Amino acid sequence: MSTTVGRSLGPYRLPVIVIAILASLLLIVPFLILVATSWTSGSFILFPPEGFSLRWYGEVLGDRRWMGAFWLSVWESALATLIATILGVAGAIGLTRVRSRAAGRWIRTLFIVPIALPPIAYAVGLYGVNLELGFLRGTLVTLVIGHALVALPYVFVIVSGGIARIDPALRPAAWTLGARWPLILWKIELPALLPYVLSGALFAFIVVFDEVVLAVFLLPPGTQTLPLKMLSAASEAFSPELTAASTLVSLLAIVVLALVPLLTRRRGRRTVPRRRARPVPAVTEGVPE
Amino acid sequence: MSSSTIATGARMAPVAQRRTLGVSRAELRWLMWPPLLFFVVALGLPMVALVMQSLEGGGAAYPGMFSVPAFLGSLGRTLLMALVTMVLTSILGAVYGLALVASPAWLRIVLLAALMLSLWTSVMVRSFGWMLMELPKGAIYWFLGLFGLADEPLEIYQTTFGMYPAMIAVMLPFAVLPIMSALQSIDQEQLKAASVFGAGPLLTFRTVTWPQMLPSIISGAVLVFVMALGFYVTPLLLGGPSNMTISGVINSQLKTANRPDLGAAMSILLVGATILIYLIADRLFRVSEKWG
């Protein structure tokens, strides 16, 4: 279907494709270099790497500080993701019930604005909250709340995209049959949205897991999340240990997100397609289908 | 079913049949209010804390921040950096988006995979990758050496010039994805009609494809611009101390200069400007509605 656009470009198609291939190298090559340097058997970052060994992976996986930071990141991000997912799904579904168009637009904007929020300014604000409310000092509460806010837009956007694909006749049908809204939500809307909820949650998890600036300001002294550990390792010395850790995290992200289509394929097919396919919501492309 | 549900439903039904059928107040209360309350707590409280913190010196922080030597420079630099990143990313993003719908299937998968890989891997990891490329004896040096082009170590690491490729690479997915979804929903019949009536590639592009890409290019550009204003990690790692952004100055006010009031005042300026720009662009171009 999309080759029509290609054909319409005529002789200009080739340069467009060539530039895009070069741009894709901009995206891939640094990552490949990073992976390659972690295979070195020497003690320094070198490209091309000296020899081949997985020794640095062993060092990272066997180091209690790296693994401690990793597990702290995992559960902190999981908590933030859980909050963001519940609120994001509620907001996306709730927004379809808001009657006023103007209010709807403002609410939609509010849900997306955290993407644009400068992380450092937000972190300073949260840090101020920590100072004012003394009982929060030394806890992870503000970090989790902050991360949940950062993750919320991604869940909201992806689930909103899914809602547009639910058959609009199902809800009134269930309603006229006497189902009240919690039942409709539980039996009709949430099952149809499940693939989108899952991919939204995973996307949010990856985003939060990666976030470092809030962690710089809000982690209690003596604790480190993985990105913070990586950042401080980078400012001390750039070592193969760091590139090995980076590779491991990236692999984890890719594996986790690759699971989405596998987990949701069967369910995804059952959602009723609209007559004319709505443009796929941007962030979700390649994620939930 | 509660009586209020019936009442609301009956009152609403003749007005708008489609969605509002059977929407109760309880439903709105339980779905919409928890997230809105969360926004008050998670977004409102920190902003109040920022204002309070900035006023600690009796409001002296606001004029005071302009006398911090690094501040004005970083302000201009950050704006310029965000602008350059936005323009370059948008141009490249438009071409990338076009190629994604115009290339053969196998290449489309490769291009999309590159984009997704980039979106899914950590910004910090990607910045590390660029560091390894740009180090004086890094990968670019090695590559040039293969052709005998590099005799002395490169000097692009931690320069302004060396910062941009990484920033563009980090932002590219945000520009490409909306453009791609706009291009995928172009009405094929319009393109066919154009070619049937004898329009050449340039005329077809200008009159059919471009107008349908433009709103997405703009919304992607706005997003890239506001995100670049708050950029911290990539410029820190790749731009070095001479390219400190506002975020870097805010950080140093808190961590080294020990002037939390100045840091808070600068943060308010940064948040205010970012949100204002986003809201204006949102009203003008409906940016938020392009996202889902």
Side-chain angles (χ1 to χ4, degrees), chain A residues 118 121, chain B residues 50 62 65-66 71 75 246 250 263-275:
Chain B
L50 269 187
Y62 288 94
M65 66 181 168
F66 291 100
F71 178 67
L75 193 65
I246 294 200
I250 292 174
M266 291 173 189
S267 299
I268 289 173
L269 186 78
L270 182 58
V271 174
T274 309
I275 302 289

Side-chain angles (χ1 to χ4, degrees), chain A residues 49-138:
Chain A
E50 280 178 345
F52 177 87
S53 83
L54 295 177
R55 112 177 216 223
W56 294 105
Y57 292 83
E59 299 264 327
V60 170
L61 292 173
D63 187 326
R64 278 185 41 220
R65 279 164 307 163
W66 279 107
M67 293 315 283
F70 171 77
W71 286 113
L72 178 66
S73 277
V74 168
W75 82 259
E76 190 274 326
S77 315
L79 207 56
T81 304
L82 184 70
I83 297 172
T85 305
I86 294 172
L87 296 176
V89 172
I93 294 178
L95 188 60
T96 60
R97 312 324 195 218
V98 173
R99 291 190 194 112
S100 145
R101 278 183 73 93
R105 272 192 78 185
W106 279 110
I107 293 173
R108 171 176 287 279
T109 303
L110 180 68
F111 273 96
I112 295 182
V113 136
I115 293 188
L117 202 63
I120 199 135
Y122 183 49
V124 174
L126 284 170
Y127 183 72
V129 173
N130 263 359
L131 290 180
E132 301 291 333
L133 307 173
F135 59 91
L136 292 177
R137 233 170 295 169

Side-chain angles (χ1 to χ4, degrees), chain B residues 90 94-95 98 179 183 186 191 202-218:
Chain B
S90 302
V95 175
L98 267 178
I179 295 173
L183 283 172
I186 275 191
L191 291 168
L202 280 181
L203 185 62
T204 310
F205 181 76
R206 213 182 62 216
T207 53
V208 181
T209 315
W210 176 251
Q212 304 195 49
M213 282 169 82
L214 191 59
S216 297
I217 296 181
I218 292 173

